[in-house]
Amino acid sequence: MANNARWNRAALGEAPKAERKPHQQIVHGLTLVDDFAWLRDDNWQEVIRDPGKLDPEIRAYLEAENAYFEKAFKPYDALKQTLIKEMRGRIKEDDSSVPSRDGPYAYFSRYREGGQHPLICRQPAAGGAEETLLDGDALAKGKAYFQLGGAWHSPDHKLMAWSSDDKGSELYAMRVRDLATEKDLDDLVPEAAGGAVWLADGSGFYYAKLDAEHRPQQVYLHKLGDKTEQDRLVYSETDKGFFVNVGKLQAGRFALISTGDHDTSEVHLLDLHDANAKPRMVEPRTVGLRYDVEHHPADDTLYLLTNADGAEDFKIVTTKLATPGRAHWRDLIPYRQGTMIIDLSLLKDWMVRLERNEGLPRIVVRALPGGEEHTISFDEEAYSLGNSSGYEFATDNLRFTYSSMTTQSEVWDYDMRARTRVLRKRQEVPSGHDASQYVTRRIFATAKDGERVPISLLHRKDTKIDGTAPCLLYGYGSYGIPMPASFSTVRLSLVDRGFVFAIAHIRGGTEKGWHWYLDGKLAKKENTFTDFIACAEHLVAEKFARRDGIVAQGGSAGGLLMGAISNLRPDLFAGIIAEVPFVDAVNTMLDATLPLTPPEWPEWGNPITDKEVLERMLRYSPYDNVGAKAYPAMLALAGLTDPRVTYWEPAKWIAKLRLLNTSDNPVFMKMNMDAGHGGAAGRFDRLEEVALAYVFALAVAGNANA
């Protein structure tokens, strides 16, 4: 396996070694021993609110890991700075979004030259001077971490609810700004989750709140001027596995309370014209039943996107508001196997659906009430497509975005009546980007069981596809989340240095329909890992990648993938990049007090109640399967205040890898002591984390001097 001499163990000196303090638990008669359980601070709920409360012994170990990492990467500092300069040079620093109209105003966000954080702005829809409503750079001043969560203007355009997180722990404080005085009111909602939905008269708003276990399980109504403890509890979820969200339906009459897990959903409606409204259930939860709702006020019809009655890839049904239950649902767009309906948007005269077939999306526009349809699609082998309904309900305009791995992101306004489109914005790359110098491809690997696994590829036209190129292979494969074949300026820094960039669309996502997800979860989870390995082998066999030059990358649940493949086939990869990696699967799924554990049981299974699930997870859980093997070079990137994948998962994993690795390849961890699951929040600060990962990839593939 390729290995850079600078990262020889002897050259690096003594690596940190975590003390072994065996902790034992017996589950279903099986004895589980964890040598590094002590790295979990039992006070972690306080730590994510105040990192200064971290146990000193644990802090000392994490800081030693960071020091080792900094020492190892010091020789590559010039390369890192070059990469950051390149990546920043491809960012239009004073960029702005396309304004989205809402009555008298058009709202948008923009960045100032050199700014890290967005500004929330508006201008009169008829034209006129721009107003800055929120200045993210000013709000972030003096903070080690800051992220603007979102902003939601009131129906009369006089107020704006906005949220921010200053720890990286996803504990958002929500405030209300008077847009005339440019000052915040005394109203403050701590530890909110998601967004705000205003009452029609602007006298207050609904919001979801995190409970003591960091789960969004309640919805409150906050009336302006009231103290938070006076807020009215509107909905409380009793199932710890269900997370609650509150949003607004497009027509504007109803707020929507959605609650559910990865398999099941339940929706309640709240009339925004009635501050005393009680939630109106659409259809009671049934395990495995999923549905989303939109409302058309002209005839009080509900439109639902659902998997009811075996519609695995979803269908669209309708019913009357007065009779919302499933017994009254009638098919409008029937289920078609292999064509997955991803999203439903409803406007006054139009219904728009986004669907995917064989990994490629398209937009279908349907006139209301007539039913005539037409399609918006594209010709590239692999591309990404999305649509946005904007703020308004009575409009003929549809906004959609398009990009491919070679084509910059484009924002289009489409007149659904005239069937004409106007390009509103094409992503600018200030340092220049010539799409004709790059190639994007869609190929298929054959999985262990014969399934065809799509792979999206990007490389320079002058890169030789003869088995000599290094390759970065990216994968995720969980929760039904597809990986889009979209444009990214940062990956050009690898591709311009001779890399082939590949995305493995493995099972666990929905690139090939809902069955693609079902075949990569629970008892079939190991398909995710073997699919990825098949993709790596196919890239070598077809000469897209050098046999000793593949670097694998994945984050969060994709980090579990990284841990699993490094145990299964350590010989196949030159390096592994695991970002905020979910690698301690068994211990995490055995701990029902962690925020994401109960909602995750439908994805992985519940090892607390089911011995078979425990035994299955023990076969692939990365931390539990680290052994005396010759591992490739390993890099874990993590965040101390991460409430999703807690910091101790990668810390324990790295400690065990370093103990048992039999090769001379190094094992690194970089713990961001000021951030959480998303890493650095500033757009330029984030580039440093990307550059570190790419330095690692270039070094282990032997291209650090390219």
Side-chain angles (χ1 to χ4, degrees), residues 419-436:
R419 302 191 185 185
T420 56
R421 65 181 76 175
V422 176
L423 178 63
R424 294 296 306 275
K425 179 182 178 181
R426 176 176 287 118
Q427 180 181 357
E428 293 184 46
V429 182
S431 60
H433 173 66
D434 182 355
S436 68

Side-chain angles (χ1 to χ4, degrees), residues 188-315:
L188 173 65
V189 176
E191 302 193 1
V197 179
W198 286 92
L199 291 171
D201 64 3
S203 63
F205 56 83
Y206 293 104
Y207 66 93
K209 187 174 178 63
L210 293 170
D211 66 10
E213 294 177 313
H214 214 93
R215 298 183 183 120
Q217 295 219 296
Q218 295 177 322
V219 174
Y220 286 88
L221 173 64
H222 176 75
K223 296 301 292 280
L224 297 180
D226 287 352
K227 296 183 182 298
T228 305
E229 54 266 28
Q230 296 174 293
D231 290 354
R232 178 168 71 89
L233 177 63
V234 176
Y235 178 86
S236 184
E237 178 56 58
T238 57
D239 188 332
K240 292 294 185 183
F242 273 38
F243 278 9
V244 174
N245 184 46
V246 61
K248 183 179 178 181
L249 297 188
Q250 187 73 22
R253 178 180 165 188
F254 292 107
L256 171 147
I257 297 174
S258 57
T259 181
D261 58 20
H262 295 295
D263 281 349
T264 305
S265 60
E266 181 179 278
V267 170
H268 302 252
L269 303 179
L270 282 167
D271 193 330
L272 292 172
H273 294 269
D274 179 4
N276 297 310
K278 290 184 168 40
R280 300 168 58 180
M281 185 185 295
V282 174
E283 168 65 18
R285 66 192 66 177
T286 300
V287 174
L289 175 66
R290 298 168 62 92
Y291 67 95
D292 294 316
V293 180
E294 276 292 353
H295 168 248
H296 202 296
D299 53 1
D300 265 346
T301 297
L302 298 180
Y303 289 69
L304 300 96
L305 176 62
T306 180
N307 66 347
D309 308 315
E312 184 179 74
D313 288 325
F314 295 84
K315 63 180 179 177

Side-chain angles (χ1 to χ4, degrees), residues 42 124 273 313 337 345 430 435 472 664:
D42 289 334
H273 294 269
D313 288 325
Q337 186 175 9
S345 300
L472 190 141
D664 286 331

